[in-house]
Each structure stands twice: as structure tokens, then as C-alpha cells.
Amino acid sequence: MSIQWFPGHMHLTRKAITERVKEIDVVIEMLDARLPGSSANPLLAELTSGRPTLKVVNKQDMADPKRTALWLAHYNAQANTRAIALDASVTAPARALIDACHALAPLRGDMVKPMRVLICGIPNVGKSTLINTLKGKRAAKTGDEAGITRTESRIVLADGFYLYDTPGMLWPRIVVPESGFNLAASGAVGRNAYDDQEVALELLDKIKAAYGAELDARYKLGLSPQAIAELPDEELMAAIARKRGAIGSGGSINWQKAAELVIADFRSGILGRITLETPEQFQRWLHAGQEADAQRQARKKERNKKPAKPDKR
């Protein structure tokens, strides 16, 4: 299954960012700490090319701290980029954003030369929650679903510091299949764009080797982490279904209910602090996805070649 989701309002967001970025000093891109690579928008990198960038690895309290450290090191090694990890509901770390932006653009930030910051990211990554934390009041709508924010807004965080909020935006074509599943599992993709059962099976496949102990603790499977890692995905979800009462008539597995349980437990953090990818894994996925996409484009170009006109001589 190929997961794609780019509704109409995202086209408008892309146009708005293209115009706004011309006068922006720093770009803040919020990432989901559970899937930092998959939640980094390649279209956004293209639109904001050349601007100092602050990567905010958000929802760190729901992610594996060891893997979060790997991602921070990965981004901090990049030119003109800083990275910090946040739990957007905690006030003190959130205020560190202002200092980090000043470090990236030290000549901006007073009333004569105000700091103009664009904050953006994929849907449901926590931007609105962070902005409300920074403002100390409900300045932006929040919700546990994709597509809550639909229009750009300007927020004054301090004297000479202006923050421009934008709606969450994905990109027109997701070429890394693993990213599509990770985005769906996190809630960044609209419900009509994926199948719950396929996403839940992919999710279990990604976490069963590294987080078998967490799965056993949640679902009381009575299996060792090694045994859980070796279970086929369908058998693992069936075992979870039996433990959680996702059973239909005659004792059959209610696969839809089981899938919804697994996805909800991941999104809420009940499963534990889980990260779906490391920088090394994501780079492998990205390379393979780009190669496959280049081959698809080449085949498409070949199909679209106009046949040569016959020689009438």
C-alpha cells in the first residue's frame, strides 16, 4: 500500500510559505521525535533553502531517549542548523526556542531589526500546542488529528520577535514507503489515506525487535522479548487481539479492532517510549526510495515519448 495525502489546503500552504519565506530570518521545523526523518518535509527544505533552520524534535517524552540523542547529533552536524528536543507542553524548554533562534540569527531581534521566524511542520506534530505554551494561553487550536490549523497567523512572542504559524503540510508524493506508514501510525495522515490493519502490522514489524519488552508489558503476552521479535506480524497482532478482547463471533479475531488498539496505544504513548527509526535506518530507506522513484520516472518518461513520424518518402 502506498500512503499519500495532500489535500487542497496544503497547496495554499505551500504558496503561503513560498511568499512568507522571502522575509524570514529563521525557519523552525517541528519534527516528531518518534519519527524524525519521516516527519521532515523535503518540500519544506526546498522552499526554505538557505535559511538558518532550527529543528525542534518534539514529543521527546514519548520517544526513545537514546534514539533522540542520535537524531540531535545528526541534525546538529548539518550546516546552518541547530536541533533541540522538546516536550511542547513544558514551558521552560519551550522558551529555549527564542535563544536558539538568536544563536542562528544574532543580528536580529530588536525593534529596529525584529526577528521573523516561520514555524512549520507536518500535521499533528504539536505546533499549536507549542505556540499555546509559549504564549501562555490558547492562541492556536489543538487536536489529536491532522489538519486542525488551516490558515497562517502571526504571534508576538517577545519585543522584536515575531512568529509566523502555518498549517501542517505534507508533500505531494511520499517516495519512502516506510515514511508513509510511520506518518500514518503517528496520525499525520488523514484517515481516508490508509488502511488501519496494514499500518498496525507495519508498526508491529518495526517495533517488535527493539521494543519487545514494552509490548509484553502492555499486552501481558507472557513471552520473552526474543520470542516476540521472532513472531510473524499477523501472529503477534492475533495474540494482542486475544489479550485485549478484540474477538468476534465464534472466537474469530476482530482484526480492525485489534489494529485500532495498537495504533491508539502507540499514539498515546501507552506502549512506552518508542522511536520508529534511527538516522542510519532512515538514510537507507531514503536512498532506496529515491532510486525506486528515479526508475519510475524514467519508465514514465519512456512511455510518454512521442512515436517518430513515419518517413513519407
Side-chain angles (χ1 to χ4, degrees):
M1 180 178 66
S2 175
I3 295 176
Q4 309 291 338
W5 191 59
F6 196 73
H9 73 274
M10 292 188 183
H11 287 285
L12 299 177
T13 300
R14 176 167 60 180
K15 291 179 181 178
I17 289 175
T18 300
E19 289 302 311
R20 176 63 62 193
V21 77
K22 297 173 183 177
E23 56 187 45
I24 288 299
D25 302 305
V26 175
V27 173
I28 296 176
E29 182 178 15
M30 291 193 67
L31 307 175
D32 190 323
R34 301 166 299 174
L35 48 147
S38 293
S39 59
N41 188 337
L43 175 60
L44 188 59
E46 178 185 327
L47 295 176
T48 62
S49 178
R51 293 292 190 277
T53 301
L54 175 62
K55 302 280 190 180
V56 176
V57 182
N58 196 36
K59 303 185 181 182
Q60 66 163 339
D61 56 318
M62 302 173 72
D64 183 334
K66 292 181 180 178
R67 291 189 173 187
T68 297
L70 293 176
W71 279 104
L72 292 176
H74 171 76
Y75 285 122
N76 279 317
Q78 297 178 5
N80 218 21
T81 303
R82 290 172 64 92
I84 60 174
L86 287 184
D87 166 2
S89 68
V90 180
T91 303
R95 295 296 300 178
L97 286 177
I98 294 176
D99 293 337
C101 289
H102 282 305
L104 284 164
L107 300 181
R108 311 292 303 193
D110 55 34
M111 297 306 293
V112 178
K113 294 182 178 180
M115 176 79 74
R116 299 159 301 184
V117 176
L118 181 72
I119 184 167
C120 40
I122 64 170
N124 202 30
V125 76
K127 286 192 297 88
S128 296
T129 300
L130 175 62
I131 289 168
N132 291 340
T133 301
L134 288 167
K135 288 287 291 182
K137 60 182 179 180
R138 192 176 177 82
K141 292 181 181 179
T142 64
D144 189 21
E145 61 180 285
I148 292 293
T149 304
R150 291 297 184 95
T151 58
E152 181 194 69
S153 60
R154 191 186 85 159
I155 299 161
V156 180
L157 289 186
D159 289 342
F161 195 106
Y162 304 136
L163 184 69
Y164 294 88
D165 182 26
T166 58
M169 183 180 69
L170 289 171
W171 47 106
R173 198 154 52 87
I174 299 170
V175 301
V176 180
E178 295 87 350
S179 290
F181 283 106
N182 288 355
L183 289 165
S186 74
V189 173
R191 286 293 305 274
N192 61 339
Y194 62 89
D195 179 85
D196 289 314
Q197 295 176 44
E198 290 196 46
V199 169
L201 288 169
E202 286 288 333
L203 177 59
L204 290 173
D205 184 64
K206 283 195 176 72
I207 68 177
K208 64 184 182 182
Y211 302 104
E214 284 80 0
L215 287 168
D216 184 60
R218 170 59 178 162
Y219 299 118
K220 307 296 187 293
L221 301 173
L223 298 171
S224 69
Q226 182 178 350
I228 290 174
E230 293 172 355
L231 272 181
D233 303 332
E234 291 83 357
E235 289 186 25
L236 178 54
M237 193 151 82
I240 292 170
R242 294 187 189 98
K243 288 291 185 179
R244 297 288 293 143
I247 304 297
S249 59
S252 62
I253 301 298
N254 186 330
W255 294 101
Q256 180 62 28
K257 183 178 179 181
E260 291 173 358
L261 283 168
V262 169
I263 293 171
D265 284 352
F266 170 71
R267 289 180 182 174
S268 66
I270 290 175
L271 277 182
R273 301 184 67 170
I274 291 174
T275 301
L276 301 180
E277 57 199 32
T278 66
E280 183 181 357
Q281 285 174 328
F282 182 76
Q283 290 305 312
R284 288 201 306 269
W285 299 344
L286 179 61
H287 179 70
Q290 288 173 336
E291 282 204 344
D293 188 57
Q295 292 171 7
R296 282 193 294 268
Q297 293 300 319
R299 290 194 296 268
K300 182 179 179 181
K301 185 177 180 181
E302 190 65 27
R303 288 195 302 269
N304 292 339
K305 279 185 178 179
K306 293 182 179 180
K309 293 182 179 179
D311 191 343
K312 296 181 179 181
R313 289 180 298 173

